[in-house]
Amino acid sequence: MDAIVLGGGLMGAASAFFLARRGVRVTLIERNRVGSGATVASFGNIRRSGRYIPQLPLAHRSLALWRQAEAMLGRDVEFRATGHLRLVFSQEGLVAMRSFIKDARPWGLELEELTAKEVRSRFPGLGPEAIAASFSPNDGSGNPRLIAPAFASAARKLGANIIENVGIGAIRKRAYGFQVETSKGSHEASMLLNTTGAWGARVASLFGERVPIVAKGPQMGVTEPLPHRILPVVGVWAHDHGGGYLRQVERGNIVFGGGAERTDVSLDTGYARADPARLPGQLRSLLPILPALKQVAVIRTWSGCEGYVEDGLPVMGPSSSTTGLFHAFGFSGHGFQLGPGVGDVMAEVMTTEKTDIPLQDFLIQRFAKWN
């Protein structure tokens, strides 16, 4: 078997690795550098709380792979199971949290519900006005700059062909499979995996499949280094205070996001930029989570081109129109945690035509009315 993986973000790099590990001859094609797109713009959050409930089996599998990442890939990708704390500031948030805790339990996710007193006792300085919180001790964070290159490097060691910095031309269905024309030559394979992120719908449309998707850029930032005191990743329920979130890396910097509307991004250029005019409001939205940010300097802001599907769910699984074509794109800003699991599951589906992970809600067939 042979396959072309189109798109070198986390989904594509992980898929190339797991395909190569299954003995498939893989060519990964990325128009820029592996991991330089939406993946590197990610916050690095590895969370299961607040997810679409039927997505939890995929999230569980992915978390197990994050735990194995250093041994599996031969390098530290800075996965740290520091826990995920999600604060509640309103009655709406309290209802949302308790509803999710109840619904997630049969799917294998147990969350601790913390009182306001327990939040202040266990996590001093965080959410002093919070009325409750959930805590998931096994979740945490990873380094978005390291993970995709690590998967690509490990895939290369297994024999995968990694092609970067190329112009991509025609993508054609042939009798034997697929042909992808690039500025560095033509590549052919019996299978094609579309992991092109926000551009995924453009690739799918070449085969008569339409997906309603828009490109947006998140507003991300990082502060100057501070004494390391915050262990968990911290977010909020019910988008209280604009849905801000933050974490402190081991070097002391606080990485933050949310609390600001995403910017529009043109797919023709794929260039996303943070809007400095939105930064003051974003920082104000984060103060209820961490009041100490009031006296901290922001040293860098950034954004990235992410694909947001109309229903907020990814497109994942086999094509509905073309044998040998598969999709894994449109993770709508919540794909980082899922990346290793997506790669593993797509390799499984492509080589065995089955998986025990429920994908029904993510299949491209749900947009048949668009085609």
Side-chain angles (χ1 to χ4, degrees):
M1 303 177 71
D2 48 20
I4 293 172
V5 177
L6 197 58
L10 175 53
M11 306 303 173
S15 297
F17 170 78
F18 286 110
L19 282 165
R21 199 164 74 160
R22 285 175 173 265
V24 178
R25 295 189 299 269
V26 183
T27 298
L28 173 65
I29 301 175
E30 164 56 41
R31 64 177 185 168
N32 296 309
R33 296 280 303 199
V34 166
S36 63
T39 299
V40 78
S42 170
F43 173 68
N45 198 358
I46 297 176
R47 66 161 177 89
R48 291 169 296 163
S49 60
R51 288 197 173 275
Y52 179 65
I53 292 292
Q55 200 176 68
L56 285 175
L58 177 60
H60 294 329
R61 180 182 284 197
S62 200
L63 179 59
L65 292 167
W66 275 107
R67 290 171 177 155
Q68 302 167 27
E70 184 171 357
M72 183 171 62
L73 303 177
R75 65 176 71 176
D76 180 14
V77 294
E78 297 184 7
F79 167 66
R80 303 291 185 264
T82 54
H84 185 262
L85 179 69
R86 202 161 189 180
L87 300 167
V88 175
F89 291 95
S90 67
Q91 287 300 312
E92 180 186 5
L94 189 62
V95 170
M97 178 189 73
R98 288 176 173 169
S99 176
F100 183 85
I101 289 175
K102 178 183 176 182
D103 292 344
R105 189 171 293 118
W107 293 77
L109 177 58
E110 294 283 347
L111 299 180
E112 298 179 47
E113 180 178 338
L114 307 181
T115 65
K117 182 178 180 180
E118 288 171 328
V119 171
R120 285 185 274 282
S121 172
R122 292 175 57 176
F123 304 103
L126 292 174
E129 302 301 321
I131 62 174
S134 67
F135 185 62
S136 180
N138 296 317
D139 291 324
S141 64
N143 191 325
R145 293 181 175 275
L146 300 179
I147 187 64
F151 267 117
S153 177
R156 184 182 284 113
K157 291 177 182 177
L158 292 174
N161 185 21
I162 311 296
I163 301 172
E164 301 175 279
N165 296 314
V166 295
I168 298 175
I171 303 171
R172 304 184 182 93
K173 182 73 171 75
R174 299 296 196 191
Y176 52 78
F178 299 87
Q179 180 185 47
V180 178
E181 297 284 353
T182 78
S183 58
K184 295 182 180 179
S186 177
H187 304 274
E188 302 170 350
S190 59
M191 297 183 293
L192 176 66
L193 175 57
N194 169 22
T195 58
T196 54
W199 293 266
R202 289 190 173 183
V203 175
S205 70
L206 299 175
F207 302 92
E209 298 178 297
R210 302 291 189 272
V211 175
I213 191 172
V214 295
K216 296 284 186 178
Q219 178 106 355
M220 307 300 300
V222 64
T223 73
E224 62 184 317
L226 300 171
H228 191 269
R229 295 173 181 170
I230 303 171
L231 288 179
V233 177
V234 189
V236 298
W237 282 99
H239 293 285
D240 285 336
H241 303 294
Y245 46 85
L246 58 85
R247 65 185 177 94
Q248 188 172 28
V249 302
E250 293 167 356
R251 293 169 291 280
N253 310 78
I254 293 175
V255 183
F256 61 86
E261 185 179 356
R262 298 177 180 92
T263 59
D264 294 325
V265 180
S266 169
L267 285 179
D268 291 333
T269 64
Y271 181 68
R273 59 185 299 176
D275 181 0
R278 304 183 191 197
L279 183 59
Q282 182 180 33
L283 292 173
R284 284 193 296 271
S285 76
L286 294 170
L287 290 179
I289 301 173
L290 182 62
L293 282 175
K294 190 173 183 179
Q295 304 298 328
V296 176
V298 175
I299 61 173
R300 185 168 68 90
T301 60
W302 68 92
S303 187
C305 183
E306 297 179 332
Y308 289 79
V309 180
E310 184 180 67
D311 60 8
L313 300 177
V315 176
M316 186 176 171
S319 164
S320 63
S321 69
T322 308
T323 301
L325 174 64
F326 299 84
H327 303 292
F329 69 88
F331 286 83
S332 305
H334 61 258
F336 185 76
Q337 191 274 351
L338 299 175
V342 169
D344 191 26
V345 170
M346 292 310 302
E348 184 178 39
V349 170
M350 292 170 70
T351 56
T352 70
E353 299 184 353
K354 59 184 180 181
T355 179
D356 60 355
I357 299 297
L359 298 180
Q360 186 60 40
D361 291 354
F362 313 135
L363 297 177
I364 201 168
Q365 286 93 316
R366 71 187 192 270
F367 299 116
K369 65 181 180 181
W370 287 71
N371 299 322

